């Protein structure tokens, strides 16, 4: 368990998910967490657990050793610039989960020499199943270990070059939506062939979970597992081939690249 005071600046969907994940994993206690937001009513569930919820960003930052910034990209510079004097590089570390804001930009706002980490989790962090990509600057070995442990408690963390952070956003964070859309389509197909919605939902979701676990736990390539269930003249290969004829893989690849180009353009 961490005994560091953590302030989460921005209690929106991702900020709340991080707080929930830290609590559920036991990494942090409610007394060690502060979450800020203008509308505190939406944080009532965290408040009921003992988490401090306030609208004063400056007070939250001054009282923390680890500051997690989960603001919207369009207002991060404005919000953090207003509380610039609250940052103390000698005792604090700044972790940003914001898309499109560089480490250098964050250091410029928080002060020269500020230990800065860019992390890109996804919303599965609320159930400790996030894929989080991390890069950093001015971070000590002890701080690096802390951050990695923190996000490993919330799923799986991997260090990458900052130049790949936009790509990580698309593949890991946007990827949650892509996977869920696949599951939704599977549910719709399941209903059409005879299942009720609840049963189709369970079968589709558990099947995707099992497929992912095969790759992770057994260190397999997808095609290895596909070959195991595609028999000559079988129903699996017939379905796969029809999906490919309709552009299944191509549309997914195009969607990923379009998302990436949107981030790069913005």
């Amino acid at each position: 368990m961490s005994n560091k005071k953590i302030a989460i600046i921005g209690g929106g969907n991702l900020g709340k998910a991080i707080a929930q994940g830290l609590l559920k994993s036991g990494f942090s206690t409610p007394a060690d967490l502060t979450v800020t937001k203008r509308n505190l009513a939406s944080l009532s569930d965290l408040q009921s657990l003992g988490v401090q919820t306030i609208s004063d960003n400056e007070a939250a930052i001054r009282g923390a050793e680890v500051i997690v910034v989960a603001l919207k990209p369009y207002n991060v510079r404005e919000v953090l610039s207003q509380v610039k004097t609250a940052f103390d590089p000698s005792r604090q570390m700044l972790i940003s989960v914001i898309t499109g804001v560089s480490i250098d930009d964050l250091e410029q706002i928080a002060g020269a020499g500020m230990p800065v980490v860019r992390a890109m989790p996804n919303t599965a962090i609320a159930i400790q199943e996030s894929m989080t990509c991390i890069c950093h600057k001015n971070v000590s070995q002890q701080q690096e270990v802390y951050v990695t442990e923190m996000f490993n408690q919330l799923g799986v963390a991997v260090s990458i070059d900052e130049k790949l952070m936009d790509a990580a956003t698309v593949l890991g964070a946007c990827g949650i939506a892509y996977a869920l859309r696949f599951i939704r389509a599977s549910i719709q197909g399941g209903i059409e062939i005879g299942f009720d919605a609840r049963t189709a939902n369970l079968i589709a979701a558990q099947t995707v979970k099992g497929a992912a676990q095969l790759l992770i736990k057994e260190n397999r390539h997808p095609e290895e597992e596909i070959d195991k269930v595609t028999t000559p003249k079988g129903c699996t290969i017939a379905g796969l081939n029809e999906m490919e004829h309709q552009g299944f893989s191509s549309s997914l690849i195009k969607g990923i690249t379009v998302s990436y180009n949107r981030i790069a353009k913005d």
Side-chain angles (χ1 to χ4, degrees):
M1 181 185 295
S2 165
N3 58 0
K4 292 184 181 295
K5 297 292 185 180
I6 300 173
I8 299 174
I9 308 302
N13 290 335
L14 183 54
K16 284 186 66 175
I18 291 171
Q20 291 163 352
L22 291 173
L23 293 174
K24 289 177 181 178
S25 68
F27 187 81
S28 297
T29 66
D32 289 331
L33 287 181
T34 299
V35 182
T36 72
K37 195 177 183 184
R38 288 182 180 177
N39 178 17
L40 296 180
S42 63
L43 300 179
S44 59
D45 52 341
L46 291 177
Q47 189 175 30
S48 67
L49 295 174
V51 175
Q52 183 181 23
T53 60
I54 60 176
S55 56
D56 188 337
N57 291 324
E58 184 171 357
I61 292 170
R62 290 190 185 280
E65 298 161 90
V66 178
I67 300 119
V68 180
V69 182
L71 299 165
K72 299 295 184 184
Y74 64 83
N75 69 356
V76 60
R77 290 175 178 83
E78 178 184 355
V79 172
L80 292 186
S81 294
Q82 292 173 353
V83 295
K84 186 173 182 177
T85 58
F87 291 107
D88 183 355
S90 68
R91 68 175 187 88
Q92 293 175 328
M93 174 170 53
L94 177 64
I95 301 174
S96 168
V97 293
I98 304 166
T99 301
V101 182
S102 72
I103 285 178
D104 288 342
D105 287 343
L106 292 164
E107 183 185 14
Q108 185 178 26
I109 295 170
M114 183 73 176
V116 177
V117 177
R118 281 188 69 185
M120 183 44 60
N122 57 41
T123 53
I125 202 166
I127 57 167
Q128 301 161 245
E129 291 290 350
S130 177
M131 179 67 248
T132 303
C133 295
I134 298 169
C135 59
H136 52 77
K137 181 180 180 182
N138 303 326
V139 169
S140 69
Q141 184 176 4
Q142 184 178 9
Q143 288 171 323
E144 182 180 359
V145 169
Y146 175 89
V147 171
T148 302
E149 181 183 353
M150 174 180 171
F151 285 104
N152 275 335
Q153 292 283 333
L154 307 177
V156 177
V158 61
S159 293
I160 63 172
D161 291 335
E162 187 178 16
K163 65 183 180 181
L164 291 172
M165 193 55 76
D166 286 347
T169 302
V170 173
L171 199 58
C174 301
I176 284 279
Y178 307 151
L180 290 172
R181 183 56 60 87
F182 170 80
I183 292 172
R184 191 181 87 168
S186 296
I187 293 167
Q188 291 173 312
I191 294 169
E192 188 166 341
I193 62 176
F195 288 104
D196 64 87
R198 183 179 296 275
T199 304
N201 193 333
L202 176 61
I203 293 172
Q206 178 60 38
T207 299
V208 170
K209 178 182 178 182
Q213 291 290 68
L214 279 173
L215 302 186
I216 294 169
K217 291 187 175 182
E218 301 297 326
N219 194 27
R220 304 284 193 187
H221 188 279
E223 288 303 324
E224 291 183 72
E225 298 301 325
I226 289 172
D227 286 345
K228 293 179 182 179
V229 292
T230 49
T231 56
K233 295 186 178 180
C235 60
T236 304
I237 192 63
L240 284 173
N241 284 344
E242 180 61 24
M243 291 176 192
E244 293 301 333
H245 291 323
Q246 298 297 328
F248 176 75
S249 293
S250 178
S251 65
L252 182 56
I253 294 166
K254 287 180 179 178
I256 290 170
T257 56
V258 166
S259 290
Y260 177 77
N261 290 334
R262 173 61 59 87
I263 290 178
K265 180 179 179 180
D266 292 345

